Amino acid sequence: MSISNVQSAGHPASLAHGANPHDQLTSGDLAIGVVIGRICQSFDLFVFGLGCVLAFPEVFFPFASHMDGVFYSFVLFALAFVARPLGSMFFVVLQRQFGAAAKLTISLFLLGMATAGTAFLPGYTTLGWAAILALAILRFGQGFALGGSWNGLASLAALKAPKNKRGWYAMLPQLADPIGFILAAALFAYIWSALTPQEFIDWGWRYPFFAAFAINVVSLFASLRMVVAPRYAEQLKERDLEPTSMRLLMREQGRNVALGTFAPLASYALFHLVTIFALSWALLYTQQSVTSFLLVQVVGAFVAMPCMIISGKVANRFGRRTTLGVGGVLIAVYSGWTALLLSGGVVNSYLFVIVGYALLGFTHAQAAGAVSANFLPEFRYSGAMITSDFGWLIGAGFAPLVALSLAIYAGVPYVGLYLLTGAVGTLAALWFSRQSGLPND
C-alpha cells in the first residue's frame, strides 16, 4: 500500500510502520539540527570571504596591487556559488544510490578537506601560479560539497510546524548565518589584533581555516544524528520530501523554480554587501582599522538576530510572503542611501553596516524557501534545494565583486542601484506568486 493510501485510510505512515508515536521529529528538534549544520556552512563561507580581503591579496596575488588582489580573490570567492548547484545535482544521484547518510558524510568530509587544504596551502611565493590554481580548486570543492550538504531538514521543519507558526520555524535555521559570521569575524579580529601584519600574512590567517575544519566535524555528527534516524527517513517519505530528477523538476515546475530563485535576491545581495564588500571598501578607501571595523560588523550581526526574531513573529501573523515583501521595500529604500553612507565618513559607514544588518535580519529570516509551498509535494525537496542554490548564485555569489567594481569604476551610487535591482527582483517574484493564487505561508 502506498503512503498516500495509508494516510487516506486514516493511518499516518509512521504509525503504519509500527513507529512509536512519541518517537517523532519535532519542529524544535529539526530546527536545532539545521542551525548546527548551517553555522558550520556559514562559518566556512565567511572565513573564506574575510580571507579574500585580509590575506589572499598578499598571499596569493603579491604581483598585483592590493585592489586588484581583492578583485582576483572575489573571483575565487564566487566559484563556490557556481559549483553549488552542480554539487546538488551530483549528490542527488548519490543519495538515490546510497542513501542520505552516505551523501551527507561524503559531502561534509569533502567540505572539511577543502577547508583544511586551504589552511595548509603554500602561497604564490612558494608555488607560483599553481598556488592560485590549487586555491581555485579547493574553493570549487567547497561549493560542490555545500550543494551536497542539503538534507531537507529546514523544509521538513517548516512543513511540520503549525500553519500559524511557519514563519517562526522558517526563521530559526536562518539564525545560523549571523552566528557563523560572528564567529568568523571575531576570530579574525582577535588574530589580527594579536599579531603583527607580517605574522598575520605569514601564518596567522590560516588558523580560522583550521577552526572551520573542527566545526565541520561537529556539524557532521550533529547532522548524522538526525539523518540516520529511521524517523527522519520515514517522515521525509511521508512528507514527500525525497529528491527527484532535475530535468523533470524544470519541465514540470520551471515557473516555481524561477519564483523561488528571485524571491530572496534582495536579502542575499544585501548579505554580502554588509559583510564582505563593506570590509573591502573600508580597508581600500578609508583609514579605519581592521579590528574596529570587524567588531562593528560583529555588533551588526548581533543586531540582525532580534530583527530575525521579530520577522518570525510578524510572518506568523501576516504571512511569510507579506513579510518578505515588506523587507524588500525597506531594502529598496535603504539602497537610495548607500552612496551617502559609504562616502560620508566613519560614522556613516558604521550606520551602513548596522542599519543594513537590521534589514538583513528582518528579510533573511524569511528568505529561504519563501515560496517552497508553491511546489507540488513530490518536487518540494529538489525545488527548495535548487532554488536556494540559484538564489545564492545570482543574488550573492558575485555581489562583492560586482559591488566593488561598480564603486570603483562607476561610482558609489551604482552600488545602491545594484542593491535596488535585487529588491525589484524580490518584489516581482512575490507579486507573481500572489497573482498565481499561491499561499502566503
Side-chain angles (χ1 to χ4, degrees), residues 19-275:
N20 186 337
H22 299 291
D23 189 32
Q24 298 296 314
L25 286 173
T26 67
S27 295
D29 293 334
L30 291 167
I32 291 172
V34 174
V35 167
I36 293 174
R38 287 279 294 274
I39 287 174
C40 161
Q41 296 173 13
S42 181
F43 184 80
D44 278 12
L45 169 72
F46 287 117
V47 162
F48 195 96
L50 296 175
C52 286
V53 179
L54 300 176
F56 294 168
E58 300 292 335
V59 176
F60 295 101
F61 305 103
F63 53 85
S65 66
H66 188 76
M67 183 184 73
D68 287 340
V70 173
F71 273 121
Y72 300 149
S73 299
F74 281 169
V75 172
L76 297 183
F77 178 79
L79 280 179
F81 298 91
V82 175
R84 186 169 168 172
L86 300 177
S88 293
M89 290 184 278
F90 170 81
F91 280 101
V92 159
V93 177
L94 194 71
Q95 180 174 346
R96 288 180 188 161
Q97 295 294 321
F98 302 104
K103 182 201 78 164
L104 187 62
T105 301
I106 294 172
S107 64
L108 288 180
F109 181 80
L110 176 60
L111 179 61
M113 290 299 100
T115 303
T118 304
F120 287 105
L121 185 63
Y124 181 87
T125 55
T126 302
L127 294 182
W129 286 95
I132 300 174
L133 177 60
L135 181 62
I137 293 172
L138 290 172
R139 180 57 176 168
F140 190 91
Q142 281 185 322
F144 198 82
L146 282 172
S149 65
W150 180 273
N151 53 31
L153 287 173
S155 297
L156 185 56
L159 286 176
K160 283 182 64 63
K163 188 173 182 179
N164 63 344
K165 292 186 177 180
R166 286 181 182 171
W168 177 261
Y169 283 101
M171 173 274 299
L172 288 176
Q174 302 296 82
L175 283 170
D177 291 325
I179 294 173
F181 179 81
I182 288 169
L183 295 174
L187 183 56
F188 266 109
Y190 172 75
I191 294 173
W192 184 278
S193 65
L195 303 176
T196 66
Q198 191 58 48
E199 288 173 334
F200 180 84
I201 294 301
D202 287 343
W203 51 269
W205 68 271
R206 300 179 185 274
Y207 279 89
F209 288 88
F210 292 130
F213 178 76
I215 292 176
N216 274 323
V217 174
V218 175
S219 173
L220 172 61
F221 286 102
S223 299
L224 280 177
R225 176 182 173 273
M226 308 294 291
V227 172
V228 301
R231 52 186 180 170
Y232 166 84
E234 198 170 84
Q235 292 186 52
L236 279 182
K237 293 178 181 178
E238 177 186 342
R239 296 278 179 167
D240 293 317
L241 282 174
E242 292 186 307
T244 189
S245 163
M246 291 294 109
R247 181 182 301 175
L248 184 62
L249 171 68
M250 298 304 295
R251 187 177 71 222
E252 299 291 334
Q253 302 279 281
R255 174 185 172 88
N256 290 332
V257 169
L259 292 178
T261 297
F262 282 90
L265 284 191
S267 169
Y268 290 171
L270 181 59
F271 206 111
H272 285 170
L273 290 187
V274 297
T275 54

Side-chain angles (χ1 to χ4, degrees), residues 269-325:
L270 181 59
F271 206 111
H272 285 170
L273 290 187
V274 297
T275 54
I276 309 304
F277 163 73
L279 180 63
S280 69
W281 180 260
L283 266 60
L284 288 171
Y285 291 98
T286 74
Q287 300 299 316
Q288 300 178 56
S289 73
V290 171
T291 303
S292 297
F293 199 83
L294 283 173
L295 291 179
V296 169
Q297 289 186 305
V298 168
V299 171
F302 274 112
V303 169
M305 289 193 285
C307 293
M308 297 178 91
I309 294 172
I310 292 171
S311 176
K313 293 182 177 294
V314 171
N316 284 345
R317 183 169 182 179
F318 299 102
R320 296 185 63 197
R321 186 174 62 209
T322 299
T323 305
L324 189 56

